[in-house]
Amino acid sequence: MTLKLIKKEDTKVLNAHILSNLNPRQQEAVQYTAGPLLIVAGAGSGKTRVLTYRIAYLINLGVKPERILALTFTNKAAEEMKSRIATLVDKYQAMKVWAGTFHSIFARILRIESNHLGYTSSFSIYDTDDSIRLIKQIVDRSNISLQKLTPQSIQSKISWAKNQMISWQKYAASAQTPFDKFIANVFAEYEKRLRLNNAMDFDDLLLNMIALLKSSEEIKSKYCNRFEHILIDEYQDTNRAQYEALKILSSKHRNICVVGDDAQSIYRWRGAEIRNILDFSKDYSDAKLIRLEQNYRSTKIILEAADSLIAYNKNQIPKKLWTENSKGEKIELFVCEDESEEAEKICSRIKQFVDTGTKLSDIAVFYRTNAQSLPFENELRKANIPYVVIGGMSFYKRKEIKDIIAYLRILINPQDNTSLLRIINEPPRGLGNVSIRHYLDYAENYNIPFLEALGNADEVPNLTHNAKEAGKKFYEMIIKYSELINESLSVDLILEYLEASGLLNMYRELNTDDAIDRLENIEQFVNDIARFIEVNPDGGLNDYLQQITLVSDIDNVDFSSGKISLMTLHSAKGLEYPIVFISGIEEGLLPFSRANQNPDEEEEERRLFYVGITRAQKKLFFSYAKERMRFGSYYSQNPSRFLSEIKKELIDFGEFMNVTNVRKSNQLQINSYSQLADADYYSQLPQTEMTFRVGDVVKHSYFGKGKITGLAGEGDNRRAVVYFPSVGGKKHLMLKYANLEKVPPERNNNYG
DNA sequence: GACCTGCTGATTTTT
DNA sequence: TCAGCAGGTC
């Protein structure tokens, strides 16, 4: 009794302390602990703070931390959340909270319960790249010519369907066109083979979680009872499958607290349904709505710029962000000739900041596509300014690393045919396509894994002596190390295995720059494993492999390091920097070209720009280039329509102020100079040279500059296929009508 | 079966 | 521009 009283008193004190750090709205969000709660949290409104304080508050109230489930979008966010909770409550309590991404938390549960769904606990998790390989195998076998269907596009269609919870059966039933019917067949076979391989793709982690919860009352109540409180960050980016899983998981206690900002929904293309957040109050009619509208991050100018931009979107939850922060400086705009000049200008501005004592880690450069990072990297390297590129070609997606991952996977999941197929002849060991085919046929006939067929080489028909021996030898190596590694995982063992694989020697013998690079990457990878073993002495290879599959680059960035950050606008979500440069604000890039066709996509692109702007705390820069290298040639670019949507009094046009004189309507038009110059230039060209070749750069009166990728037909029927960056795709044009102008090559290549 | 070479298509964004 | 791959040659 006494004990209880003291505890209660402590709780009061502790929670009073927690609440004292919050504004009234935030306090309300933390204290409303019974029933569904929707927190609409604008950019920079202290969303993470509210989530972490809420969890700490719950723990102080006596809720067991292991009964709290916190789902985030990135592992980084989960880690940050955990470490912040650890500063508010006991460290060991904080560690017990189930915090992670949907994918990693569900994978964790699925490993425990795998037998209920017919998988083993060492199932492989396939990333997109693995899925595409598997699809390619299926397609190659089908003997159907793909025409425009690439394995990538099939993968994205299948993934889309799975995100919408459309099974292959449903997909097949509604397939109308031959294309769709073909995809339906691939889809069915793909699902079958995933099972056969004891593997799940990213989407399966969500779908199988739902299947698990529906598999029995017992399991359902086990998890529904366990999670007394569920919190979801970035709710605007959840998809249908995540939504369904949450609905079941929260059905018992109904303590579901979702936090999000519809204005920051940028993953529609991946199946995120903004509707989930817009309809939350419909799904839970008793839901409480709290708006966090005070921004603590940015200056008034930055906030107003963001606000004036996002006002152009129609679909929104009404809200108005405000701040007590100072007005701040205007946004500076850099107009550049091309992407190299853009990098130069930004880099020299960065140097100014550095010279006046700004920390490098306070500065970030954003862009739309990963490909845009290169000129910045070059320029920063020249200037000796340390930087990190976040995202892009992820370390774990490099060929040599994926090969090693496949080597490791097969050790713990002998059913993983896709991984085995990847490495069976890498390095070459005398098992080419023909032999592999025989092994695979045998495996299929006897319904055994590919690996086992290698072990039974003597029984497999049609094989040459060499192919039999090579198969057996490989099989024995795998079995040997699989046993050793399952006994105990050590770096020495891994190294020995990699030597035995022949992979290291292959690169050593090649001894090219590229090979040396790859060897270094492998070394780094082994170090990574060593680090893992050190931190997780009880963890198996299984845990390691899962972790690296579900982790993104951004999770591994050390933000305290003294480096400039370069990243895409997507990666920037959830981060903040005192100084932000947003580059490449051009039509075709931002909004990205495909967005032209669909107002929803345009709105998403606008939100993406909005996310970028609202990352900035003190000072924001915009830049665009008049010409940009794409696919090896220069194309002229126009400033983004979004620039004209931002109140112009917030932007400092600097030396380019005069450009605004060419304004024709009340809409701000900043483009013009390059276009006018170009128009003059082209009109002076002689119009005689009209024979076209593939690879020529041409100009079309409407689509602008493009590159010929194909030619067909004769005479009046002569047609060209032209890639136009402005539309982000190809157009089929009749030369007779298209009036294409040829652009002289020296105009396209003589830069830099 | 391994290796070489010339062609082609890719550039969104990522768990 | 460039990586990955199909197709041909040894």
Side-chain angles (χ1 to χ4, degrees):
Chain A
M1 192 64 183
T2 338
L3 198 74
K4 210 175 170 188
L5 271 176
I6 291 169
K7 207 177 163 200
K8 217 172 200 173
E9 208 45 47
D10 278 353
T11 297
K12 253 188 194 163
V13 175
L14 288 169
N15 276 342
H17 173 67
I18 282 181
L19 295 172
S20 69
N21 285 316
L22 301 171
N23 72 31
R25 300 273 87 193
Q26 293 173 328
Q27 285 178 8
E28 199 184 352
V30 166
Q31 286 176 290
Y32 188 88
T33 55
L37 170 65
L38 166 62
I39 304 171
V40 177
S45 63
K47 174 189 65 146
T48 313
R49 193 184 185 85
V50 165
L51 273 174
T52 51
Y53 277 54
R54 184 180 162 89
I55 292 171
Y57 184 87
L58 287 170
I59 293 174
N60 285 338
L61 280 185
V63 177
K64 288 209 172 88
E66 63 270 27
R67 303 193 62 176
I68 300 174
L69 173 64
L71 295 167
T72 60
F73 199 67
T74 62
N75 294 290
K76 184 93 197 161
E79 287 311 314
E80 192 186 330
M81 192 180 282
K82 275 190 182 173
S83 68
R84 283 224 230 167
I85 299 167
T87 66
L88 298 168
V89 299
D90 179 73
K91 202 167 77 184
Y92 295 99
Q93 297 272 80
M95 270 165 54
K96 288 190 207 155
V97 174
W98 285 65
T101 61
F102 279 89
H103 291 84
S104 64
I105 294 279
F106 288 1
R108 186 168 151 194
I109 295 174
L110 286 167
R111 291 235 186 259
I112 299 169
E113 312 287 353
S114 54
N115 59 322
H116 293 281
L117 295 173
Y119 294 85
T120 78
S121 67
S122 56
F123 63 82
S124 301
I125 299 174
Y126 284 179
D127 65 15
T128 311
D129 185 63
D130 301 318
S131 297
I132 290 171
R133 287 180 84 93
L134 179 52
I135 286 167
K136 200 166 172 300
Q137 287 164 31
I138 296 165
V139 170
D140 284 350
R141 257 219 121 168
S142 73
N143 283 329
I144 290 174
S145 101
L146 275 184
Q147 313 251 0
K148 276 168 216 145
L149 278 179
T150 60
Q152 286 87 323
S153 66
I154 297 175
Q155 190 274 335
S156 82
K157 286 207 172 196
I158 291 177
S159 177
W160 180 263
K162 290 175 87 165
N163 274 318
Q164 309 296 121
M165 298 187 66
I166 298 168
S167 64
W168 67 264
Q169 291 93 337
K170 260 198 251 170
Y171 195 100
S174 65
Q176 297 292 328
T177 65
F179 270 166
D180 271 343
K181 283 183 182 155
F182 177 69
I183 290 172
N185 286 335
V186 178
F187 192 176
E189 183 65 20
Y190 172 74
E191 295 291 290
K192 194 179 125 198
R193 292 210 192 180
L194 279 174
R195 282 256 162 200
L196 227 49
N197 289 359
N198 189 29
M200 300 187 194
D201 66 14
F202 283 148
D203 306 316
D204 285 332
L205 293 175
L206 309 177
L207 295 178
N208 282 332
M209 183 69 202
I210 296 170
L212 177 72
L213 290 170
K214 287 184 174 167
S215 68
S216 76
E217 253 331 292
E218 199 190 332
I219 295 238
K220 186 182 160 191
S221 49
K222 177 176 172 186
Y223 288 97
C224 290
N225 282 330
R226 170 171 304 167
F227 299 123
E228 209 175 316
H229 285 271
I230 302 178
L231 300 90
I232 302 103
D233 194 11
E234 311 280 15
Y235 190 65
Q236 75 279 357
D237 283 326
T238 50
N239 64 27
R240 176 75 193 279
Q242 288 161 327
Y243 170 86
E244 288 294 331
L246 286 172
K247 210 163 155 188
I248 302 174
L249 277 173
S250 64
S251 58
K252 170 90 195 301
H253 298 290
R254 296 188 86 251
N255 294 323
I256 178 171
C257 165
V258 306
V259 186
D261 178 7
D262 54 300
Q264 293 184 63
S265 162
I266 54 176
Y267 286 101
R268 205 184 80 97
W269 54 274
R270 209 171 80 186
E273 294 189 357
I274 199 167
R275 189 182 76 193
N276 289 349
I277 192 165
L278 299 175
D279 287 356
F280 187 79
S281 305
K282 279 186 207 155
D283 293 326
Y284 300 89
S285 55
D286 55 335
K288 166 105 176 152
L289 167 69
I290 295 175
R291 289 193 176 86
L292 302 180
E293 296 177 310
Q294 180 174 5
N295 173 294
Y296 295 94
R297 181 184 295 152
S298 311
T299 65
K300 287 202 173 67
I301 286 197
I302 290 168
L303 215 53
E304 210 183 329
D307 193 61
S308 61
L309 172 76
I310 205 67
Y312 281 80
N313 273 10
K314 291 201 183 82
N315 293 317
Q316 290 191 70
I317 298 179
K319 60 183 159 313
K320 178 80 188 169
L321 275 181
W322 57 277
T323 185
E324 285 175 352
N325 291 345
S326 65
K327 190 170 171 225
E329 293 173 36
K330 279 190 178 181
I331 300 164
E332 268 175 67
L333 172 71
F334 296 162
V335 179
C336 314
E337 289 304 317
D338 55 28
E339 78 277 2
S340 327
E341 195 189 271
E342 183 178 48
E344 275 166 35
K345 280 188 173 166
I346 289 179
C347 187
S348 77
R349 195 67 177 82
I350 288 175
K351 263 193 254 167
Q352 282 177 31
F353 278 117
V354 175
D355 289 344
T356 50
T358 306
K359 276 196 301 184
L360 289 174
S361 54
D362 282 351
I363 305 173
V365 181
F366 301 154
Y367 35 77
R368 179 62 232 267
T369 67
N370 280 306
Q372 286 165 256
S373 73
L374 208 61
F376 295 110
E377 294 183 59
N378 291 336
E379 211 46 50
L380 290 167
R381 211 178 300 122
K382 260 199 265 169
N384 258 327
I385 298 174
Y387 64 87
V388 277
V389 182
I390 295 162
M393 185 53 155
S394 158
F395 179 72
Y396 298 115
K397 292 200 176 78
R398 289 166 202 272
K399 183 194 174 300
E400 62 277 17
I401 302 302
K402 288 232 56 164
D403 285 346
I404 295 181
I405 292 174
Y407 268 104
L408 295 176
R409 271 188 191 157
I410 195 69
L411 294 184
I412 49 172
N413 181 10
Q415 285 166 255
D416 192 340
N417 295 350
T418 305
S419 292
L420 181 52
L421 219 41
R422 181 181 177 109
I423 53 169
I424 183 76
N425 209 30
E426 184 75 23
R429 51 173 66 86
L431 290 168
N433 286 332
V434 178
S435 308
I436 292 173
R437 192 67 268 150
H438 293 142
Y439 276 116
L440 282 175
D441 285 342
Y442 178 86
E444 212 165 289
N445 284 340
Y446 289 87
N447 208 11
I448 55 171
F450 181 20
L451 182 66
E452 222 171 291
L454 292 173
N456 293 351
D458 288 333
E459 319 285 319
V460 180
N462 305 323
L463 285 175
T464 63
H465 176 72
N466 285 346
K468 278 188 185 181
E469 289 309 305
K472 276 195 278 186
K473 202 175 151 211
F474 186 80
Y475 173 79
E476 279 155 19
M477 177 185 73
I478 300 293
I479 295 301
K480 176 182 166 194
Y481 286 99
S482 149
E483 282 166 3
L484 289 172
I485 288 225
N486 279 322
E487 265 169 44
S488 83
L489 177 64
S490 79
V491 178
D492 288 345
L493 197 56
I494 301 258
L495 278 173
E496 193 188 315
Y497 176 47
L498 293 184
E499 284 297 348
S501 76
L503 211 56
L504 298 179
N505 261 335
M506 179 183 80
Y507 287 125
R508 283 188 197 120
E509 277 161 24
L510 264 171
N511 201 29
T512 57
D513 284 356
D514 182 68
I516 293 167
D517 257 10
R518 290 183 199 264
L519 272 175
E520 279 169 6
N521 286 335
I522 293 173
E523 197 185 319
Q524 212 183 317
F525 184 66
V526 175
N527 290 340
D528 193 53
I529 301 178
R531 229 170 293 131
F532 176 84
I533 296 175
E534 215 179 294
V535 180
N536 309 277
D538 304 327
L541 191 51
N542 217 343
D543 301 300
Y544 176 72
L545 290 175
Q546 165 164 329
Q547 186 198 292
I548 61 172
T549 311
L550 296 179
V551 109
S552 69
D553 271 15
I554 196 152
D555 300 325
N556 291 323
V557 178
D558 179 8
F559 287 95
S560 59
S561 69
K563 290 175 179 173
I564 307 257
S565 301
L566 309 179
M567 71 189 85
T568 62
L569 287 162
H570 281 88
S571 301
K573 194 167 79 157
L575 304 177
E576 57 183 14
Y577 294 88
I579 295 157
V580 166
F581 294 85
I582 303 180
S583 67
I585 308 177
E586 295 147 31
E587 283 296 306
L589 220 43
L590 188 72
F592 200 78
S593 16
R594 267 167 68 185
N596 283 325
Q597 287 133 35
N598 182 337
D600 284 346
E601 285 184 29
E602 184 186 324
E603 294 211 345
E604 173 138 323
E605 295 288 312
R606 194 178 280 112
R607 290 193 295 267
L608 188 57
F609 191 22
Y610 176 84
V611 166
I613 293 172
T614 52
R615 300 308 94 196
Q617 295 171 303
K618 298 236 147 43
K619 180 78 191 179
L620 180 60
F621 295 87
F622 290 157
S623 69
Y624 71 85
K626 294 190 235 171
E627 285 186 312
R628 188 173 291 275
M629 169 92 87
R630 298 183 86 178
F631 299 109
S633 337
Y634 277 89
Y635 295 96
S636 71
Q637 301 283 101
N638 291 325
S640 168
R641 69 193 75 168
F642 296 154
L643 273 181
S644 64
E645 294 172 359
I646 292 173
K647 282 188 194 159
K648 64 175 189 301
E649 61 266 29
L650 303 173
I651 301 179
D652 174 4
F653 293 88
E655 55 187 300
F656 299 96
M657 200 60 203
N658 54 349
V659 178
T660 56
N661 293 339
V662 294
R663 211 182 323 152
K664 290 193 178 109
S665 63
N666 54 356
Q667 272 222 331
L668 176 67
Q669 295 202 339
I670 323 164
N671 56 359
S672 68
Y673 271 0
S674 68
Q675 276 179 309
L676 288 174
D678 281 356
D680 290 345
Y681 179 84
Y682 292 119
S683 63
Q684 290 160 16
L685 290 176
Q687 297 290 313
T688 47
E689 177 58 65
M690 287 304 269
T691 43
F692 295 104
R693 281 194 230 152
V694 171
D696 282 353
V697 175
V698 293
K699 193 174 191 235
H700 183 270
S701 57
Y702 182 72
F703 300 121
K705 273 205 241 178
K707 193 170 187 169
I708 297 183
T709 60
L711 286 162
E714 295 296 328
D716 281 0
N717 226 348
R718 187 98 173 129
R719 304 176 301 275
V721 186
V722 186
Y723 176 87
F724 291 104
S726 63
V727 293
K730 288 175 180 172
K731 294 276 170 198
H732 294 253
L733 302 168
M734 300 284 286
L735 287 183
K736 190 181 167 195
Y737 304 113
N739 256 333
L740 292 178
E741 278 174 43
K742 205 163 163 176
V743 180
E746 61 268 28
R747 177 81 188 148
N748 297 294
N749 297 323
N750 274 358
Y751 284 78

